Amino acid sequence: MPPVPPPAAPADPLTPAVSDPADLEREAALASLFELHYASMLRLAALLGADDPENVVAEAYYQIYRKWRRLRDTEAAVAYLRSTVCNLTRMRIRHLQVARRHVENPPEEVVDSAESTALLHDDQRVLIDALQQLPGRQREALVLRHWLGLKESEIAAAMGISCGSVKTHTSRGIAALSQAMEARR
């Protein structure tokens, strides 16, 4: 009997074989979304207080990948991604707060990652420290408004609240941030 040849290996072992045109379109759209918005989503997660922004953003991209076919409008993918990063960061912070309450020996000090520290200049550190002292919703509203430059309606959609609540959180956040910055001088 002649020997049976081994099956042919794919041209690129890291790229899965995709035969459905819809899958090809999804892969291309997500690759473009990743290339254009990964850095801004990483900054968003870090500014919102995520302890591990890389994992938060990776999870957000995974969720949008899974739900891509159910998106009504692919143009809204960036807004969906931004909203997902906000929600995941909020959930992560909440989880860490609960976990820290149940630890017998809580850590005295939380140390920022080397990546986070390297990204910030000295003058920004003071602002970020003051920002981290704000309540979560106020911090989210300020970051989305002033760092990302979103409109009130976009912030409301990302946070899942009304436009009036966005105005309230932004106003109170600016007042508290101003007070905290004045106290540090």
Side-chain angles (χ1 to χ4, degrees), residues 53-170:
E54 293 89 2
N55 282 340
V56 168
V57 174
E59 176 67 22
Y61 273 98
Y62 171 69
Q63 286 188 16
I64 198 169
Y65 175 81
R66 282 186 3 193
K67 297 176 181 176
W68 188 262
R69 288 190 179 111
R70 291 186 293 201
L71 285 177
R72 282 181 246 136
D73 181 15
T74 56
E75 299 298 320
V78 175
Y80 177 81
L81 188 61
R82 187 182 309 117
S83 178
T84 303
V85 168
C86 290
N87 289 336
L88 289 171
T89 301
R90 201 176 310 125
M91 288 175 7
R92 178 72 180 148
I93 290 170
R94 211 175 299 132
H95 169 76
L96 290 174
Q97 289 171 344
V98 170
R100 287 181 185 135
R101 279 189 221 129
H102 297 293
V103 173
E104 289 181 21
N105 298 325
E108 282 89 36
E109 183 180 332
V110 176
V111 179
D112 290 334
S113 69
E115 294 86 6
S116 297
T117 305
L119 289 174
L120 297 176
H121 298 296
D122 290 334
D123 56 339
Q124 292 173 326
R125 285 191 185 115
V126 173
L127 179 62
I128 298 298
D129 288 342
L131 190 64
Q132 295 302 323
Q133 301 305 314
L134 294 177
R137 291 294 196 168
Q138 291 176 10
R139 181 176 54 242
E140 276 185 61
L142 288 176
V143 167
L144 293 171
R145 174 77 176 139
H146 296 287
W147 270 271
L148 293 182
L150 299 181
K151 299 175 190 167
E152 287 174 359
S153 59
E154 294 171 323
I155 297 169
M159 292 177 66
I161 59 177
S162 69
C163 287
S165 294
V166 169
K167 291 177 186 178
T168 301
H169 290 305
T170 303

Side-chain angles (χ1 to χ4, degrees), residues 9-27:
D12 184 3
L14 298 178
T15 306
V18 180
S19 59
D20 185 13
D23 285 341
L24 289 172
E25 181 182 322
R26 174 176 67 169
E27 297 291 329

